[in-house]
Amino acid sequence: MYDILTLAIACGRISNVYFERCKPLQLSVFYESLCTDSQAFLLQQLLPTTTVLHDFVNVRFIPFGKSKSIDYGENGFECQHGPAECLGNMVHDCVLDRLRPELEMPVLKRVEYVACELDNIAGATGNMMCVQKAGLDEDKVNKCLTSEKGLILQLDSEYQTEKLDPEMIPTVVLGDTFNQTFQDNALKNLMGTLCEILKYQTPCEAYFNRVALSTILTTYAINTVTGNETTSETNYYTINNTIPNTI
């Protein structure tokens, strides 16, 4: 179970009092620049979900995964998918440092940047197309890569990753504490998982309405094919017991 008090405060729910808007939920995504599972999660789950819920979530990216530093980075890094991934991870860190929330950069811009990188395998091959697409100065990113700054950013990502010690990549954390149930649900249906927390917010109400409509249409199609007639009461029961309960 999640920390109910934490979620209640995050969504402004105390003694059944609801505020119009939640404070953004904090997601941390631990991933690798050449990991196909990371790519699938970013493109199929995180990007479409953040596009809809960008006012209600904040995302922190930690591009390191199962890599490890050699002599505290003095002799580089060893990465699960080879040297290209080491380059990609550092490119991501250097760019994300310039897209961090403290600089008032919108969360969707960070997500779109990482999605671009994973979709095009750009930074890992020395291609700066996603940096350009994000509207950033390519020279400043290159300066980060060739200076101590890039090394420090990757060592910090290593520290954050080792502190969590994830069993798999990608790993998604809500708030400050890893929860296996949240992880499992988020990888399969991030939108539904977050909307179980943000269910009273307009985008999530619309999401559940779409789920209900899909259930009606599916039930009708099945009954039409089988020749069974279903009462409106049965349809109502089906709808309200089919919406996924991910929490």
Side-chain angles (χ1 to χ4, degrees), residues 198-219:
L198 301 167
K199 61 178 68 177
Y200 298 99
Q201 305 307 315
T202 300
C204 289
E205 289 180 338
Y207 166 78
F208 285 121
N209 285 339
R210 288 195 300 273
V211 172
L213 177 59
S214 176
T215 302
I216 292 173
L217 296 176
T218 300
T219 302

Side-chain angles (χ1 to χ4, degrees), residues 48-198:
T49 297
T50 311
T51 300
V52 177
L53 298 179
H54 56 84
D55 286 333
F56 303 96
V57 297
N58 186 35
V59 183
R60 178 178 66 127
F61 289 103
I62 303 91
F64 198 80
K66 297 180 181 179
S67 306
K68 61 181 180 179
S69 62
I70 303 173
D71 299 325
Y72 300 100
E74 290 187 10
N75 291 306
F77 295 85
E78 183 178 297
C79 300
Q80 184 180 14
H81 301 99
E85 182 168 79
C86 294
L87 173 60
N89 290 344
M90 189 175 289
V91 170
H92 289 211
D93 251 342
C94 283
V95 174
L96 290 167
D97 183 61
R98 306 194 70 80
L99 296 176
R100 62 187 186 275
E102 294 86 343
L103 299 178
E104 298 185 354
M105 291 293 182
V107 61
L108 189 55
K109 190 166 186 176
R110 290 194 297 282
V111 174
E112 288 176 337
Y113 163 71
V114 176
C116 175
E117 287 283 9
L118 294 182
D119 191 27
N120 296 282
I121 315 298
T125 60
N127 187 330
M128 293 293 162
M129 61 171 287
C130 294
V131 176
Q132 297 167 357
K133 188 175 180 180
L136 297 178
D137 189 327
E138 187 177 334
D139 290 338
K140 290 182 179 179
V141 174
N142 282 323
K143 184 176 180 181
C144 172
L145 292 172
T146 56
S147 68
E148 191 179 50
K149 182 65 178 291
L151 173 62
I152 292 173
L153 289 172
Q154 271 289 276
L155 289 175
D156 182 64
S157 288
E158 180 177 35
Y159 169 74
Q160 298 297 332
T161 303
E162 288 183 344
K163 186 168 65 172
L164 179 67
D165 192 22
E167 291 186 4
M168 69 169 292
I169 299 296
T171 284
V172 190
V173 177
L174 173 64
D176 298 322
T177 306
F178 174 78
N179 181 285
Q180 189 63 56
T181 301
F182 179 84
Q183 162 83 358
D184 294 341
N185 291 334
L187 292 182
K188 293 184 293 186
N189 181 6
L190 182 62
M191 183 71 181
T193 302
L194 293 181
C195 276
E196 282 291 345
I197 302 169
L198 301 167

